[in-house]
Amino acid sequence: MNSSVETKCIHEGWKPKNGEPRELPIYQSTTFKYDSSDDMGKLFDLEAEGYFYTRLQNPTNDMVAAKICAMEGGCAAMLTSSGQAANFYAMFNICENGDHFIASSSIYGGTYNLFGVTMKKMGIECTFVDQNLSEEELEKYFKPNTKAVFGETITNPTVSVLDIEKFARVAHKHGVPLIVDNTFATPVNCRPFEWGADIVTHSTTKYMDGHAVSVGGCIVDSGNFDWMAHKEKFPGLTTPDESYHGITYAERFGKGAYITKATAQLMRDFGSIQSPQNAFYLNLGLESLAVRMERHCANALAVAKFLKANDKVAWVHYADLEDDEYHEMAKKYLPKGSCGVLSFAIKGGRANAIAFMDSLKFASIVTHVADAKTCLLHPASHTHRQMSEEQLLEAGVSPDLIRLSVGIENVEDIIADLQQALDQI
């Protein structure tokens, strides 16, 4: 019945019955009571649905995950403690020691380090590729042990747009899923499953929460990837799990196999759960997401045009600008607008960039991005600080790049603040 994403933002997830609270309750409890030992035993054997310990699942979290799942058009979802945890779980759920996966080199610096350094220590190799390569060129990077392909709908901080259909075609040709981080676009502006993606991740900390009050992440499975058709590649899903009495997830849970394994196995062992309190805040943010995204996009386009016309600005990257190199891609995948984040550079190099940033009045220098308040940072000095010059260039992060997250304030006030800061140079 609720076909539009705007309505799903408000009405999906929590479905109160007669006499129940209209608003989603916070189940602030670590544990849940059962009347018999057998009742609880069935939960541990995955033979019954229910809750026994919040480290694995919690009703508040599950209702919010169900809302995001509905918004993305998926079949199952789970919340995590952060976007980083979501991306790690999404990949580690199907990769193990000796495996390989492919990722766009333009992804967020934290994810780049997770994939290229931390997971490498676990024996999982990642090859980073230019996401603008042709399908033929991308195919050269696949190996017999390649298990997945990863990209971001809109990259952070270079705000380039991923050709989802291209990556999906290549991934599926080689029998592996495409995992897409949809944080910047949100399901309001793009639903990657409709373009062939198999799994979607989010840092819910960003636009979904929208107010910089709760850190969190989410994984959504489309249910479309046939794990049993590629049984030899994904033994964790297609062969018995001895830690759960020999359950074979793909056989027992069908389309729910991927999220069930991530919950029963990874969340059990790593415990990166989102707190019910944070899930409650996230749900409040989701209710206004569609309205906020419209304002973010309108404000960001006006700011991008202002910066592009200023003679002290070297360049501006924002896909909604008609002359941007990703504009045609954005028209295809993001017809309602991309997001509120853009990148640009000040003429005169780093010194002028710092002088500009330090002169702003209400636009703040913060690590965060994609919330109600206008903020910015210098990635080469901040989020991508651990990357070498070569890695920065490979990721498309030039030393002069400034990431600007345009908020939902009055756009004339935002532009006035930018103008007075430019005047200081």
Side-chain angles (χ1 to χ4, degrees), residues 180-370:
V180 174
D181 185 327
N182 199 32
T183 296
F184 272 9
T186 82
V188 170
N189 285 349
C190 183
R191 289 167 29 121
F193 295 153
E194 296 175 359
W195 301 102
D198 301 288
I199 296 153
V200 160
T201 63
H202 286 278
S203 170
T204 64
T205 318
K206 309 306 189 299
Y207 286 122
M208 284 186 164
D209 166 81
H211 303 87
V213 296
S214 62
V215 174
C218 186
I219 308 171
V220 186
D221 182 18
S222 68
N224 294 332
F225 192 84
D226 188 345
W227 305 106
M228 293 303 291
H230 308 282
K231 185 175 181 179
E232 73 290 347
K233 280 184 176 290
F234 305 103
L237 283 158
T238 62
T239 61
D241 178 4
E242 297 309 323
S243 72
Y244 265 113
H245 315 290
I247 285 173
T248 299
Y249 294 100
E251 290 180 350
R252 172 76 75 85
F253 300 103
K255 287 182 177 293
Y258 179 87
I259 293 296
T260 300
K261 177 180 180 290
T263 302
Q265 195 181 82
L266 301 189
M267 194 62 82
R268 173 196 65 188
D269 293 346
F270 291 108
S272 303
I273 194 73
Q274 187 169 150
S275 76
Q277 186 78 44
N278 277 5
F280 176 80
Y281 293 143
L282 169 58
N283 190 58
L284 293 179
L286 288 170
E287 290 190 352
S288 64
L289 179 62
V291 179
R292 288 186 287 104
M293 288 307 292
E294 186 176 345
R295 178 65 171 263
H296 278 295
C297 291
N299 280 3
L301 181 57
V303 167
K305 289 178 177 178
F306 159 77
L307 290 171
K308 196 167 183 64
N310 193 288
D311 60 8
K312 293 183 180 179
V313 174
W315 52 263
V316 180
H317 289 163
Y318 186 59
D320 294 348
L321 288 171
E322 290 186 1
D323 60 348
D324 189 87
E325 63 176 309
Y326 291 99
H327 186 65
E328 290 304 311
M329 200 87 73
K331 280 177 22 180
K332 174 179 177 178
Y333 294 115
L334 304 152
K336 294 194 292 186
S338 55
C339 64
V341 182
L342 58 91
S343 63
F344 71 104
I346 304 292
K347 292 177 181 176
R350 184 168 181 163
N352 277 359
I354 291 171
F356 163 78
M357 293 171 68
D358 289 349
S359 299
L360 292 164
K361 301 298 184 185
F362 73 77
S364 52
I365 302 171
V366 298
T367 305
H368 203 240
V369 66

